[in-house]
Amino acid sequence: MATKTKKKTPESQANDISAKITAAYIDFILTKGKKPTSVYEFTSKIKIDEQDFYSFFNSFEGLEKSIWAGFVQTTLDTLAASEEYNSYPVKEKLLSFYYTLVEVLKKNRSFILVSVEKEAELIRNNVLSKTREVFKDYTSQLMAEGTGSGEIVKRPYISDKYPEGLWLQMLFVIRFWIKDDSKGFEKTDAEIEKAVKVS
């Protein structure tokens, strides 16, 4: 008896194309050691129409925004699936976030080192704007949880600035990790401990 193949929905087909573009872009950078010259060159190489690329991303910069935000979203999804994480106090949750993020970044280190090229590119808001949104949503929830439990003291004019301060902290952690040449990135682990303790 023949088995019926499940028909893909338009949404799942779109996700497949988006994922194909993302994977192909990362592969291009890893194999060529540079970014594609043009969208036309890139889409010709991976055998899709140029307009398919623009259906999801307005430029390579837009694609990189999505990839970086995806690193943070993968981190959050991993943490959300952990029952242990959900029982942690806020400080431990933030530590777990950074440790998990570094593990996600490790899997993509070669891509990150090529795509960033210059350290200054890492802090350009136009590349990390989506990442910033995802991270600040997360830290705002974390701060609300900490204030509610009494772990974080609510301070007029200052409490609202916590997510922005933590965003700068995350940039510091990523930049430190990029430069870290220690075995197993042990220095980064130590810096995360210090950074969270200070914050």
Side-chain angles (χ1 to χ4, degrees), residues 10-127:
E11 185 180 349
S12 66
Q13 286 177 328
N15 287 339
D16 286 350
I17 296 170
S18 176
K20 178 182 178 179
I21 291 169
T22 301
Y25 181 77
I26 291 172
D27 183 66
F28 187 100
I29 284 186
L30 291 176
T31 54
K32 304 289 185 184
K34 62 180 183 178
K35 298 176 185 181
T37 306
S38 67
V39 171
Y40 176 79
E41 175 205 12
F42 174 66
T43 53
S44 296
K45 182 176 173 57
I46 64 171
K47 296 179 173 54
I48 66 167
D49 291 335
E50 190 173 1
Q51 68 182 24
D52 287 338
F53 178 94
Y54 289 118
S55 295
F56 299 96
F57 311 104
N58 61 0
S59 62
F60 290 134
E61 190 174 274
L63 174 52
E64 291 208 0
K65 282 183 187 180
S66 176
I67 291 170
W68 275 95
F71 294 153
V72 174
Q73 192 58 58
T74 298
T75 301
L76 296 176
D77 291 345
T78 302
L79 294 173
S82 165
E83 288 183 24
E84 193 177 11
Y85 169 82
N86 292 322
S87 67
Y88 288 164
V90 167
K91 179 184 172 185
E92 296 301 318
K93 283 184 175 177
L94 189 59
L95 273 172
S96 294
F97 172 85
Y98 285 132
Y99 289 139
T100 306
L101 176 65
V102 166
E103 289 304 312
V104 171
L105 296 180
K106 279 182 194 176
K107 294 174 184 173
N108 298 278
R109 186 169 175 86
S110 296
F111 163 75
I112 289 167
L113 294 181
V114 175
S115 69
V116 168
E117 288 176 359
K118 299 170 187 171
E119 187 184 333
E121 287 189 31
L122 183 63
I123 57 174
R124 289 188 309 164
N125 280 337
N126 54 347
V127 172

Side-chain angles (χ1 to χ4, degrees), residues 144-159:
E145 181 184 330
T147 304
S149 66
E151 293 173 70
I152 298 171
V153 178
K154 190 165 179 64
R155 295 182 174 92
Y157 312 112
I158 296 175
S159 294

